[in-house]
């Protein structure tokens, strides 16, 4: 259910927060630990043994059995442990290989034998069942060792290997519908709803991917949850180093224009020629460099510990340009007659990587044990980097493409402690600061923002302000970006825009977990997230009115500033009930969101802060309600004009969740789960065009809408886990999702007849499908997994901005469900690992997937049915090989990694007239015209084939990396 209310001031929120905080007991994080439970009996009689001490070996964490022989150990970090059971008169029994997962119960039963001689110990190895009897939804868990063995360079790649996940989308959902958490703390950037930073692989103890119905403790997500738990602090000093380099190893060729003379002006077409160059020749040898180092250990034994990992990664990618033209180059007469061309080409002619990125990061943890029951922890995540995107048009002017710069830091401070043997708690505070810039050049030191931002054009263009607002002199005039003719790359010019985005989030969260009885594990939680958005985007002008110097555009419509402070608050309660033969997860979540922004009363006049009083034209019977509506801001209800602003509404939601699992045989478990999920749309949609400006020279204006309602998903799934043998199991899941209130567009008309487009909740969709997994647990030298996903994702729009695009193209509005752009019907993933002897391991990952849909154009007529055909199938294969030389005493491993082992080139985009990425009917039509008329149909030095070959439409070629790791 969803209810909308109006809240007079934010003080009400503060009072509610404080009251709820005070009402809850000391709290602890959810989703970061698991538990161990079981029963201890006399091996001879089968009678329960009370008072048995069950302890995790090497720690003080444990529990004593009750009168019925049951025990439970809570707050166990994910990992592998040995469990020791002891009581006077019986031999000590140690169970090794006990694996604990987040939010799961690991059952370990003991059968103690009477002690024959003093000090007798019995050691056994735990055998985890092939099925997880307490799992009520679709969850995949990858531990640190598995993550290190996979041929992936980041946890994002590992996430995409899970059933139901394709390119970061969970079960057919839109991008941005996944919640990312680290140690129970959400790390999504609220502005774009993506993860604000990457956690490095060697800091991860457990990666949990929930693609099914998730519990009430997780919110602000419609499709799934990624829950990352970092490694526990080491009790002994240890460290590691990992470094590798990679290069593209492919015979695939690309076409480039080469210059057969020196750089300069007055060049002619004969000074250029096309050539075929392989990736190996065009790409730098050091295409990839990745260096990681970790160290950690106790500073004060059993009191203060620390660990940290640092990483530097530079990936030059597979998209390649050539520095033929500088942004300031000016060529002339690039028409159909090449004999008139005058070309200026001052680039050095070198191949240049595009689509590259470079990142430095530091992850650190500090833990201090105040007492046996109280622990203080700090986690810090720091990330900084830069890169450059790919532009097909600027392939030969690479220095004209904006760079992007990013930096992120997240600090998490938590106080954890135990309350008795069956309850534990924690409170925490985190600060997330995520910054993203897109710019070609840095702002000069003489730039004075106070004289450039917010001034009307007439003031900004005064001579004294022109000097203070001047940007880098290397910016080129926009006229240089359009000198080329048809079917040709740019021969000058550069990007003329800049973005500066800063998101800060203060998060206060806590929850409380208590094993109130042998059956019930209760959790309650509270969370507050206080966001601060400080963004600016502006165009850059270099024209006569700016004295031909680069300035922040004096056009106020090209300079947008956002300053907003939205607030989120949530409370949940959840009960995990573990009956004999039945597991039930039931929960209820409450969410509150205040956008903290004003919106127009009349959207068609959104740019006007005051408008003609619309109430005066109404009948007396209707005026009273109208006056109430327009008196929210200034109380004026009878004047000729009224305020066209009012506060956006506060949103409240209640979300019930339910999951049930029950055995149908000794090796089979059925499960059922259902839930309602709400998510505030990413904030960049709420605050689009935050100043509600309307450019009178444009025929359309886009508005955000802080009054957007939360998007809603009703999800249902039914699943089966079945053990076929002790080592072989399968899992089958059927799922369906009904998605409502998705963000779409409403098209209005302004009083002067122009279009006014705003975001509204209008789109909906339905997703259904199945996942099937078959897996073999490692029992010998070979292990493997296989999973298949079939899904049907239909909706009224693939993109929130689709409606206006169709209207402008003269297409009918979509009023029925059609295939969404990412409706990839078939996905097959497989992994195969072989370990023929100790010290050698090879893992192969293969993926086969059908193409995404596209809308065909045949005989120059676009299909009336959107997304009526599929792009080609895609094949991926990656290999990772580890080898530990026996003649080296230290823990040293050599490894080889090959990405795209088969060197296939999957097609991610296609021409709508052929369904292929490298062929176009339109291209052949141009070729026919050239043959018929004898005229040039390319207004530049490139060929027609090269212009129609877009590198970013194809996947990366084969890349081979070699490296070494060392642990101490």
């Amino acid at each position: 259910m969803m209810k909308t209310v109006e809240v007079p001031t934010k003080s009400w929120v503060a009072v509610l927060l404080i009251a709820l905080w005070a009402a809850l007991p000391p709290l602890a994080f959810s989703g970061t630990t698991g538990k161990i439970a079981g029963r201890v009996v006399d091996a001879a009689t089968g009678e329960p043994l009370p008072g048995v001490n069950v302890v995790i070996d090497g720690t003080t964490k444990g529990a004593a059995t009750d009168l019925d022989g049951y025990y439970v150990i809570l707050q166990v970090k994910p990992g592998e442990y040995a469990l020791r059971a002891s009581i006077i008169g019986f031999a000590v029994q140690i169970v090794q290989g006990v694996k604990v997962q987040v939010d799961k119960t690991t059952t370990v039963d003991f059968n103690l034998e009477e002690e024959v001689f003093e000090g007798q110990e019995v050691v056994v190895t735990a055998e985890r069942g092939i099925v997880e009897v307490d799992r009520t939804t679709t969850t995949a868990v990858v531990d640190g060792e598995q993550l290190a063995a996979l041929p992936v360079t980041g946890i994002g790649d590992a996430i995409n290997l899970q059933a139901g996940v394709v390119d970061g989308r969970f079960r057919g959902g839109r991008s941005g519908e996944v919640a990312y958490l680290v140690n129970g703390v959400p790390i999504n950037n609220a502005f774009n709803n993506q993860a604000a930073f990457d956690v490095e692989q060697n800091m991860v103890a457990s990666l949990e991917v929930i693609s099914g119905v998730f519990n009430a403790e997780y919110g602000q997500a419609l499709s799934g949850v990624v829950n990352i738990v970092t490694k526990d602090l080491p009790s002994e000093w240890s460290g590691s180093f990992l470094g590798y380099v990679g290069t593209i190893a492919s015979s695939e060729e690309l076409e480039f224009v080469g210059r057969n003379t020196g750089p300069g002006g007055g060049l002619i077409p004969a000074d250029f020629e096309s050539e075929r160059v392989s990736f190996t020749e065009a790409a730098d040898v050091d295409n990839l460099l990745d260096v990681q180092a970790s160290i950690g250990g106790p500073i004060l034994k059993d009191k203060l510990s620390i660990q940290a990992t640092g990483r530097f990664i530079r990936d030059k990618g597979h998209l390649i340009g050539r520095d033929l033209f500088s942004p300031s180059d000016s060529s002339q007469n690039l028409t159909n007659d090449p004999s008139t061309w005058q070309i200026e080409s001052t680039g050095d002619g070198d191949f240049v990587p595009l689509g590259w990125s470079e990142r430095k990061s530091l992850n650190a943890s500090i833990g201090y044990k105040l007492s046996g029951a109280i622990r203080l922890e700090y986690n810090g995540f720091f990330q900084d980097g830069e890169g450059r995107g790919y532009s097909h048009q600027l392939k030969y002017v690479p220095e004209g493409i904006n760079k992007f710069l990013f930096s992120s830091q997240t600090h998490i401070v938590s106080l954890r402690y135990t309350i008795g043997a069956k309850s534990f708690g924690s409170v925490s505070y985190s600060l997330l600061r995520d910054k993203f810039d897109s710019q070609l050049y840095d702002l000069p030191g003489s730039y004075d923002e106070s004289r450039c931002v917010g001034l009307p054009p007439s003031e900004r263009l005064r001579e004294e302000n022109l000097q203070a607002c001047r940007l880098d002199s290397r910016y080129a005039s926009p006229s240089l970006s359009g000198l080329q003719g048809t079917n040709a790359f740019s021969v000058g010019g550069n990007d003329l825009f800049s973005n500066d985005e800063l998101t800060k989030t203060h998060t206060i969260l806590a929850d409380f977990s208590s094993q109130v009885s042998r059956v019930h594990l209760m959790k309650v939680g509270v969370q507050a997230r206080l966001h601060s958005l400080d963004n600016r985007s502006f165009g850059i002008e270099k024209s006569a009115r700016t004295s031909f110097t680069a300035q922040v555009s004096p056009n106020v419509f090209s300079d947008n500033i956002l300053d907003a402070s939205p607030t989120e608050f949530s409370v949940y309660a959840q009960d995990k009930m573990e009956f004999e033969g039945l597991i039930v997860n039931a929960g209820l979540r409450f969410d509150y969101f205040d956008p903290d922004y004003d919106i127009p009363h009349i959207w068609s006049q959104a740019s006007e802060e005051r408008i003609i009083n619309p109430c005066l034209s109404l009948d007396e019977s209707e005026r009273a309600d109208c006056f109430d509506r327009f008196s929210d801001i200034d109380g004026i209800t009878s004047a000729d004009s009224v305020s066209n602003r009012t506060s956006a509404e506060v949103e409240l939601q209640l979300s019930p969740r339910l999951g049930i699992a029950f055995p149908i045989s000794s090796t089979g478990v059925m499960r059922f789960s259902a839930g309602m999920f709400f998510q505030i749309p990413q904030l960049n949609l709420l605050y689009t065009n935050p100043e509600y400006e309307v450019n009178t020279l444009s025929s359309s204006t886009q508005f955000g809408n802080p009054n957007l309602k939360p998007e809603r998903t009703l999800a249902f799934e039914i699943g089966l886990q079945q053990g076929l043998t002790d080592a072989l199991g399968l899992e089958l899941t059927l799922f369906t999702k009904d998605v409502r209130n998705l963000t779409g567009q409403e098209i209005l008309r302004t009083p002067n007849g122009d279009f006014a487009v705003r975001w509204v909740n209008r789109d909906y969709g339905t997703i259904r499908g199945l996942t099937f997994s078959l897996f073999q647990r490692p029992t010998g030298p070979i292990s493997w997994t296989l999973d298949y996903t079939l899904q049907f994702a239909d909706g009224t729009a693939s993109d929130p901005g689709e409606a206006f695009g169709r209207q402008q193209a003269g297409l009918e509005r979509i009023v029925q469900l059609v295939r969404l752009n990412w409706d990839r019907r078939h996905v097959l993933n497989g992994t195969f690992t072989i370990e023929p002897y100790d010290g050698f391991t090879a893992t192969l990952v293969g993926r086969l997937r059908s193409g995404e849909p596209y809308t065909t154009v045949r005989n120059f007529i676009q299909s009336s049915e959107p997304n009526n055909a599929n792009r080609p199938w895609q094949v991926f294969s990656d290999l990772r090989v580890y080898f530990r030389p026996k003649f080296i005493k230290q823990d040293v491993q050599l490894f080889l990694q090959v990405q795209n082992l088969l060197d296939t080139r999957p097609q991610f985009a296609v021409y709508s007239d052929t369904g292929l990425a490298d062929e176009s009917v339109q291209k052949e039509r141009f070729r026919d015209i050239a043959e018929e008329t004898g005229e040039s149909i390319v207004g530049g030095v490139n060929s027609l084939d090269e212009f129609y070959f877009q590198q970013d439409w194809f996947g990366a070629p084969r890349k081979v990396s070699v490296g070494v790791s060392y642990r101490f």
Side-chain angles (χ1 to χ4, degrees):
M1 61 176 295
M2 182 175 67
K3 181 182 179 183
T4 302
V5 299
E6 294 185 6
V7 180
T9 65
K10 275 195 159 183
S11 61
W12 184 87
V13 180
V15 172
L16 176 62
L17 250 172
I18 294 171
L20 284 169
W21 191 271
L24 287 169
L27 306 174
F29 293 137
S30 299
T32 60
T33 60
K35 77 174 183 178
I36 302 173
R39 198 181 192 199
V40 184
V41 299
D42 187 323
T45 65
E47 293 295 318
L49 291 176
V52 178
N53 290 316
V54 183
V55 180
I56 297 177
D57 216 11
T59 74
T60 58
K61 188 180 290 292
T65 57
D66 60 18
L67 293 176
D68 296 317
Y70 291 99
Y71 74 94
V72 59
I73 305 174
L74 300 176
Q75 205 179 3
V76 184
K77 281 237 177 181
E80 186 171 315
Y81 301 93
L83 211 59
R84 176 187 295 266
S86 61
I87 190 174
I88 295 175
F90 288 83
V92 173
Q93 187 173 107
I94 301 173
V95 178
Q96 297 178 334
V98 178
K99 291 189 175 182
V100 176
Q101 295 181 358
V102 170
D103 283 340
K104 303 296 187 301
T105 299
T106 300
T107 301
V108 181
D109 295 327
F110 290 88
N111 294 282
L112 298 189
E113 300 176 350
E114 290 189 10
E115 189 176 42
V116 177
F117 55 86
E118 187 175 354
Q120 179 183 0
E121 289 186 351
V122 178
V123 180
V124 297
T125 301
E127 292 188 7
R128 189 176 181 89
I130 195 68
V131 298
E132 298 172 274
V133 296
D134 68 329
R135 179 156 62 83
T136 60
T137 189
T138 304
T139 303
V141 177
V142 182
D143 62 33
E145 291 184 1
Q146 293 171 316
L147 196 59
L150 289 172
V152 298
T153 57
I155 61 174
D157 296 330
I159 293 169
N160 283 321
L161 288 176
Q162 310 311 313
V165 183
V166 181
D167 297 331
R169 302 179 189 272
F170 285 46
R171 290 188 176 175
R174 285 182 172 182
S175 177
E177 294 184 352
V178 179
Y180 293 86
L181 299 95
V182 174
N183 294 337
V185 178
I187 62 167
N188 290 62
N189 179 321
F191 188 68
N192 56 32
N193 215 33
Q194 302 296 324
F197 60 89
D198 297 314
V199 180
E200 304 306 342
Q201 288 174 251
N202 54 1
M203 280 288 285
V204 176
S206 173
L207 170 65
E208 181 184 29
V209 180
I210 307 175
S211 56
V213 176
F214 39 91
N215 290 338
E217 60 195 288
Y218 303 111
Q220 285 300 331
L222 293 182
S223 295
V225 173
V226 174
N227 189 17
I228 303 166
V229 179
T230 59
K231 292 179 179 178
D232 207 0
L233 296 172
S235 58
E236 300 292 338
W237 279 99
S238 60
S240 66
F241 170 83
L242 170 66
Y244 58 92
V245 294
T247 190
I248 293 179
S250 173
S251 60
E252 290 281 337
E253 292 184 336
L254 298 172
E255 184 176 354
F256 287 95
V257 172
R259 191 177 57 215
N260 50 30
T261 186
L267 304 182
I268 60 175
D271 294 322
F272 301 86
E273 62 181 358
S274 293
E275 58 183 341
R276 304 286 301 182
V277 181
S278 71
F279 271 106
T280 304
E281 296 176 80
D284 291 339
V285 174
D286 59 335
N287 184 262
L288 177 68
L289 174 64
D290 194 341
V291 179
Q292 306 172 45
S294 300
I295 191 168
I299 298 176
L300 299 175
K301 190 170 180 60
D302 299 327
K303 278 288 188 181
L304 178 63
S305 297
I306 186 173
Q307 70 174 348
T309 183
R311 184 181 189 184
F312 172 80
I313 179 170
R314 183 179 64 233
D315 188 350
K316 296 182 180 179
H318 68 284
L319 305 174
I320 303 171
R322 198 168 199 173
D323 187 16
L324 278 184
F325 300 97
S326 300
S328 59
D329 284 351
S330 180
S331 300
Q332 304 297 323
N333 304 321
L334 300 185
T335 62
N336 291 345
D337 183 5
S339 64
T340 66
W341 292 1
Q342 294 292 316
I343 304 171
E344 183 177 18
S345 173
T346 62
D348 58 22
D350 291 342
F351 292 109
V352 177
L354 299 176
W356 62 271
S357 64
E358 181 177 294
R359 173 166 62 87
K360 301 180 288 290
S361 65
L362 174 66
N363 298 173
S365 300
I366 302 173
Y368 183 70
K369 186 180 291 185
L370 299 174
S371 69
I374 303 175
R375 182 181 180 86
L376 183 66
E377 293 184 2
Y378 165 79
N379 298 108
F381 303 90
F382 306 87
Q383 184 171 278
D384 185 79
E386 63 176 352
R388 173 166 274 161
Y390 176 78
S391 169
H392 180 67
Q393 188 60 43
L394 292 172
K395 176 181 178 180
Y396 292 111
V397 199
E399 294 303 312
I401 303 173
N402 272 8
K403 282 186 177 181
F404 58 84
L405 303 98
F406 57 91
S407 63
S408 173
Q409 55 178 287
T410 298
H411 308 268
I412 304 172
V413 180
S414 59
L415 183 67
R416 306 173 182 269
Y417 58 94
T418 304
I419 308 171
K422 296 187 177 181
S423 300
F424 59 95
S426 165
V427 292
S428 87
Y429 162 77
S430 75
L431 168 64
L432 181 152
R433 186 183 188 277
D434 192 25
K435 195 171 192 311
F436 176 86
D437 297 331
S438 175
Q439 62 187 44
L440 190 58
Y441 305 114
D442 293 333
L443 291 174
S446 59
Y447 181 81
D448 185 354
E449 186 169 283
S450 65
R451 300 172 69 178
C452 308
V453 178
L455 292 178
S458 59
E459 293 294 322
R460 194 182 297 184
L461 292 172
R462 291 178 183 272
E463 182 60 32
E464 62 272 19
N465 288 334
L466 279 176
Q467 297 300 318
C469 301
R470 181 170 293 171
L471 301 179
D472 195 295
S473 61
R474 289 174 291 177
Y475 276 107
S477 167
S479 63
L480 300 180
S481 298
L483 296 177
Q484 73 283 351
T486 58
N487 300 319
F489 298 101
S490 294
V491 292
N494 49 227
D495 288 337
L496 288 170
F497 66 90
S498 184
N499 292 321
D500 183 351
E501 300 174 359
L502 175 62
T503 301
K504 292 182 182 178
T505 298
H506 300 269
T507 302
I508 303 170
L509 56 75
D511 63 36
F512 180 71
S513 299
S514 180
Q515 190 79 41
V516 296
S517 71
R518 186 171 59 84
V519 171
H520 296 275
L521 173 61
M522 297 291 299
K523 294 182 180 180
V524 293
V526 59
Q527 173 180 289
R529 301 194 79 197
L530 311 176
H531 305 292
S532 173
L533 307 178
D534 183 8
N535 297 348
R536 185 189 181 197
S537 62
F538 57 87
I540 297 169
E541 183 171 333
K542 192 172 184 178
S543 64
R545 70 170 176 172
T546 64
S547 300
F548 295 101
T549 63
Q551 307 279 333
V552 175
S553 175
N555 188 338
V556 295
F557 310 114
S558 299
D559 193 349
N560 291 302
I561 298 173
L562 170 63
D563 183 5
S565 301
T567 301
E568 298 177 38
F569 176 72
S570 61
V571 179
Y572 75 86
Q574 188 168 294
D575 185 9
K576 182 177 182 180
M577 295 163 269
E578 299 177 280
F579 300 101
E580 191 72 31
L582 178 67
I583 305 295
V584 179
N585 267 310
L588 183 65
R589 182 181 182 89
F590 166 80
D591 283 283
Y592 164 101
F593 177 73
D594 180 2
D596 186 41
Y597 217 74
D598 289 341
I599 60 173
H601 277 297
I602 307 296
W603 281 92
S604 61
Q605 303 178 60
S607 62
E608 304 297 329
E609 293 192 14
R610 298 194 66 82
I611 58 175
I612 296 174
N613 191 341
C615 306
L616 299 179
S617 62
L618 300 177
D619 296 336
E620 289 292 337
S621 59
E622 299 175 320
R623 284 191 181 185
D625 290 339
C626 183
F627 284 164
D628 288 342
R629 179 185 173 194
F630 283 92
S631 62
D632 295 339
I633 301 295
D634 56 16
I636 299 175
T637 59
S638 59
D640 291 339
S641 67
V642 294
S643 171
N644 193 30
R645 296 290 184 266
T646 185
S647 298
E649 297 172 336
V650 167
E651 302 295 336
L652 307 178
Q653 307 95 40
L654 281 177
S655 312
R657 317 279 172 85
L658 177 66
I660 298 172
F662 53 91
I664 56 175
S665 68
S666 59
T667 57
V669 176
M670 288 287 295
R671 69 172 186 273
F672 158 85
S673 55
M676 186 172 289
F677 307 91
F678 291 94
Q679 181 178 359
I680 297 297
Q682 55 198 43
L683 299 186
N684 58 8
L685 297 181
L686 273 68
Y687 303 114
T688 303
N689 189 1
E691 299 159 298
Y692 302 115
E693 295 170 336
V694 175
N695 187 350
T696 56
L697 299 179
S698 175
S699 61
S700 65
T701 301
Q702 173 71 62
F703 296 120
N705 185 1
N707 221 29
L708 282 173
K709 308 296 182 186
E711 298 172 336
R712 189 210 75 182
T713 291
L714 179 61
F716 169 87
E717 75 169 46
I718 184 170
L720 166 69
Q721 295 180 74
Q722 180 65 54
L724 304 178
T725 68
D726 290 343
L728 185 64
L730 66 81
E731 182 170 351
L732 175 66
T733 303
L734 304 175
F735 63 87
T736 180
K737 298 195 294 186
D738 179 81
V739 189
R740 303 279 174 170
N741 280 354
L742 287 173
T743 304
Q745 290 180 318
E746 180 183 38
I747 303 173
L748 307 170
R749 287 283 191 175
T750 64
N752 62 0
D754 293 331
F755 290 108
V757 185
R758 67 161 178 160
W759 301 121
V760 293
N761 299 97
R762 70 178 307 164
D763 289 334
Y764 60 93
T766 179
I767 301 158
R768 60 202 186 281
L770 65 85
T771 59
F772 175 79
S773 299
L774 193 64
F775 54 92
Q776 182 194 40
R777 180 169 295 167
T779 56
I782 294 176
S783 62
W784 53 269
T785 66
L786 190 69
D787 66 68
Y788 168 71
T789 301
L790 170 67
Q791 68 180 22
F792 301 83
D794 301 315
T796 56
S798 297
D799 182 86
E802 186 172 346
F804 186 64
R806 291 183 65 84
Q807 194 274 344
Q808 291 294 90
L811 301 173
E812 295 291 329
R813 175 189 167 193
I814 299 175
V815 294
Q816 79 278 4
L817 293 177
V818 298
R819 292 182 64 185
L820 298 174
N821 289 348
W822 54 88
D823 180 31
R824 198 185 297 275
R825 290 287 165 83
H826 307 280
V827 178
L828 182 66
N829 296 328
T831 66
F832 179 83
T833 300
I834 182 170
E835 190 175 0
Y837 58 87
D838 185 34
F840 181 90
T841 303
T843 299
L844 177 67
V845 171
R847 289 172 287 166
L848 173 66
R849 34 189 232 188
S850 59
E852 295 174 331
Y854 74 100
T855 303
T856 61
V857 173
R858 299 294 185 261
N859 296 320
F860 306 103
I861 299 175
Q862 181 171 309
S863 171
S864 59
E865 179 187 353
N867 287 336
N868 61 314
N870 287 322
R871 298 168 188 168
W873 283 70
Q874 300 171 353
V875 178
F876 304 85
S877 55
D878 301 319
L879 174 69
R880 191 177 185 97
V881 178
Y882 279 98
F883 173 65
R884 185 170 62 249
K886 293 185 178 180
F887 57 85
I888 300 178
K889 295 182 179 180
Q890 290 80 11
D891 187 359
V892 174
Q893 285 186 323
L894 308 177
F895 69 87
L896 167 73
Q897 179 161 306
V898 184
Q899 295 168 284
N900 193 1
L901 179 67
L902 302 179
D903 200 21
T904 58
R905 298 300 308 280
Q907 300 179 17
F908 296 132
V910 298
Y911 288 103
S912 57
D913 52 16
T914 63
L916 299 172
D918 52 1
E919 291 295 335
S920 169
V921 172
Q922 183 67 37
K923 180 183 71 172
E924 298 308 317
R925 182 169 174 266
F926 276 116
R927 202 186 311 274
D928 291 342
I929 292 173
E931 292 178 358
E932 292 174 2
T933 64
E935 295 182 356
S936 173
I937 40 80
V938 178
V941 293
N942 58 273
S943 71
L944 183 65
D945 286 331
E946 183 190 358
F947 186 74
Y948 270 83
F949 184 89
Q950 304 206 44
Q951 293 183 44
D952 56 335
W953 285 16
F954 295 85
R958 183 192 297 119
K959 182 180 293 187
V960 178
S961 305
V962 293
V964 60
S965 68
Y966 170 57
R967 297 181 181 180
F968 59 91

